[in-house]
């Protein structure tokens, strides 16, 4: 793990980013756009759940990492929400979809179990932490993917969007172990802890897949520049073959890795590549040049 996990107070100027920010590639554009639909509510929820769990952390280093993680995730959430405003300005309104996502995180996975389910508070918290650890496995995999996705540069993808995605991806790789370590630290002992971790993944990946596909269907259908916009697996496969998207197969393969008993996120992705990108990212560099302020407030 790197020395200290701290948020970078980045900002992006969206005024010149076109709706199809990967030129002539609506499927690749919208599949990646789904991240903007899911992450604002999702990462806000990470921070809320971690806040609830903070009193359980008895390790000083982990506490520091967790606070850095919360600052980074809350910054990610805000920056992706700005992209939603930019999509709305280009007549792609995502409200109906993002409201459903918000309901899932805020109500279904809120502070209390839904429908008055009789789950003890501690167990409900551990369950949500196991979901976050599983999701963070995928954000690290995706972060590593975007950092290496040179094909996007070759086809002329918008530089500001690439910087947002790669700054975010690099921070995901940088803090890839925090949610897992948090879960291991607070998730109890032995077989129950492992089983709950596996259960987190068994729920997280199919849900993520479902949200991703329905999100891509939604944005393609509502894209004012497409006549009969529709998400198709065939088009996704073709874009993935050209290196413009991660393939579903590669993401499916990431799941069994997480289920290994010996799994630790430090085995995922390249921290070196992440650190190298953060050193050249225009947004991250501009953020370092700014006077420092309160970390998690943006
Ligand atoms: Fe994030
Ligand atoms: Fe993350």
């Amino acid at each position: 793990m790197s020395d200290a996990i701290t948020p970078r107070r980045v900002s992006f100027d969206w005024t010149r980013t076109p709706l199809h920010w990967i030129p002539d590639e609506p499927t690749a554009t919208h599949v990646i756009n789904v991240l903007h639909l899911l992450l604002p509510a999702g990462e806000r929820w990470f921070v809320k759940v971690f806040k609830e769990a903070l009193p359980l952390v008895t390790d000083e280093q982990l506490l520091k990492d967790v606070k850095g993680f919360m600052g980074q995730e809350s910054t990610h959430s805000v920056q992706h929400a700005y992209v939603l405003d930019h999509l709305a300005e280009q007549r792609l309104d995502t409200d109906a979809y993002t409201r459903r996502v918000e309901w899932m995180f805020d109500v279904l996975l809120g502070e209390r179990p839904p429908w008055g389910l009789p789950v003890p508070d501690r167990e409900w918290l551990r369950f949500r932490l196991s979901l976050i650890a599983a999701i963070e496995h995928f954000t690290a995999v995706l972060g590593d993917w975007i950092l290496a996705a040179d094909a996007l540069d070759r086809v002329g993808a918008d530089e500001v969007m690439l910087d947002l995605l790669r700054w975010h991806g690099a921070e995901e790789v940088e803090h890839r172990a925090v949610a897992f370590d948090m879960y291991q630290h607070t998730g109890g002992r032995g077989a129950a802890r492992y089983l709950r971790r596996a259960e987190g993944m068994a729920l997280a990946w199919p849900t993520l897949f479902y949200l991703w596909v329905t999100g891509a269907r939604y944005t393609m259908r509502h894209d004012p520049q497409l006549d009969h916009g529709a998400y198709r697996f065939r088009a996704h496969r073709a874009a993935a073959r050209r290196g413009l998207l991660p393939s579903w197969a590669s993401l499916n393969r990431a799941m069994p890795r997480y289920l290994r008993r010996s799994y630790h996120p430090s085995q995922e992705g390249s921290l070196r590549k992440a650190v190298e990108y953060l050193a050249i990212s225009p947004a991250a560099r501009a953020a370092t040049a700014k006077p420092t302020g309160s970390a998690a407030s943006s």
Side-chain angles (χ1 to χ4, degrees), residues 43 73 76 168 172 175:
E43 297 187 305
E73 296 296 23
H76 301 165
H168 187 172
E172 289 303 321
H175 74 220

Side-chain angles (χ1 to χ4, degrees), residues 262-275:
S262 60
Y263 168 85
H264 189 265
S266 52
Q267 305 148 356
E268 281 294 329
S270 162
L271 183 59
R272 181 185 53 80
K273 251 193 254 162
V275 171

